[in-house]
Short mmCIF file of all heavy atoms in Angstrom, two decimals:
data_model
loop_
_atom_site.label_atom_id
_atom_site.label_comp_id
_atom_site.label_asym_id
_atom_site.label_seq_id
_atom_site.Cartn_x
_atom_site.Cartn_y
_atom_site.Cartn_z
N GLY J 42 101.93 68.60 110.86
CA GLY J 42 101.46 68.24 112.17
C GLY J 42 100.03 67.51 112.13
O GLY J 42 99.89 66.52 112.79
N THR J 45 100.57 64.09 110.53
CA THR J 45 101.19 63.18 111.52
C THR J 45 100.21 62.67 112.51
O THR J 45 100.10 61.49 112.87
CB THR J 45 102.41 63.84 112.14
OG1 THR J 45 103.32 64.08 111.04
CG2 THR J 45 103.07 62.93 113.19
N ALA J 46 99.42 63.62 113.04
CA ALA J 46 98.43 63.29 114.11
C ALA J 46 97.39 62.32 113.55
O ALA J 46 97.02 61.31 114.22
CB ALA J 46 97.74 64.54 114.64
N VAL J 47 96.91 62.54 112.37
CA VAL J 47 95.89 61.69 111.79
C VAL J 47 96.37 60.31 111.51
O VAL J 47 95.72 59.27 111.75
CB VAL J 47 95.25 62.33 110.54
CG1 VAL J 47 94.34 61.31 109.78
CG2 VAL J 47 94.52 63.62 110.89
N ASN J 49 99.20 58.78 112.62
CA ASN J 49 99.91 58.09 113.72
C ASN J 49 99.13 58.11 115.06
O ASN J 49 99.46 57.41 116.04
CB ASN J 49 101.26 58.70 113.94
CG ASN J 49 102.11 58.52 112.74
OD1 ASN J 49 102.24 57.47 112.18
ND2 ASN J 49 102.81 59.65 112.33
N GLY J 50 98.12 58.99 115.19
CA GLY J 50 97.45 59.11 116.45
C GLY J 50 98.21 60.07 117.41
O GLY J 50 99.43 60.25 117.24
N VAL J 51 97.54 60.54 118.45
CA VAL J 51 98.16 61.40 119.48
C VAL J 51 97.51 61.05 120.81
O VAL J 51 96.29 61.08 120.91
CB VAL J 51 97.83 62.91 119.19
CG1 VAL J 51 98.48 63.78 120.22
CG2 VAL J 51 98.44 63.25 117.85
N PHE J 52 98.29 60.73 121.77
CA PHE J 52 97.78 60.25 123.08
C PHE J 52 96.72 59.22 122.91
O PHE J 52 97.06 58.16 122.35
CB PHE J 52 97.26 61.47 123.89
CG PHE J 52 98.34 62.50 124.11
CD1 PHE J 52 98.32 63.79 123.53
CD2 PHE J 52 99.50 62.18 124.89
CE1 PHE J 52 99.32 64.71 123.81
CE2 PHE J 52 100.50 63.14 125.09
CZ PHE J 52 100.38 64.40 124.52
N VAL J 53 95.47 59.47 123.22
CA VAL J 53 94.41 58.50 123.14
C VAL J 53 93.75 58.52 121.80
O VAL J 53 92.91 57.72 121.49
CB VAL J 53 93.40 58.59 124.24
CG1 VAL J 53 94.05 58.34 125.58
CG2 VAL J 53 92.64 59.89 124.27
N MET J 54 94.01 59.50 120.94
CA MET J 54 93.47 59.63 119.65
C MET J 54 94.01 58.48 118.80
O MET J 54 95.21 58.32 118.69
CB MET J 54 93.82 60.91 118.94
CG MET J 54 93.26 61.14 117.57
SD MET J 54 93.79 62.67 116.81
CE MET J 54 93.93 62.17 115.12
N PRO J 55 93.18 57.72 118.15
CA PRO J 55 93.59 56.57 117.29
C PRO J 55 94.19 57.16 116.00
O PRO J 55 93.98 58.26 115.58
CB PRO J 55 92.39 55.83 116.98
CG PRO J 55 91.24 56.83 117.07
CD PRO J 55 91.70 57.83 118.13
N ARG J 56 94.97 56.29 115.37
CA ARG J 56 95.48 56.64 114.08
C ARG J 56 94.39 56.25 113.05
O ARG J 56 93.57 55.39 113.35
CB ARG J 56 96.80 55.79 113.76
CG ARG J 56 96.60 54.38 113.63
CD ARG J 56 97.92 53.63 113.38
NE ARG J 56 97.83 52.25 113.18
CZ ARG J 56 97.59 51.67 112.02
NH1 ARG J 56 97.57 52.37 110.91
NH2 ARG J 56 97.42 50.35 111.85
#
Side-chain angles (χ1 to χ4, degrees):
T45 297
V47 171
N49 298 314
V51 178
F52 301 113
V53 298
M54 177 182 147
R56 67 182 184 91

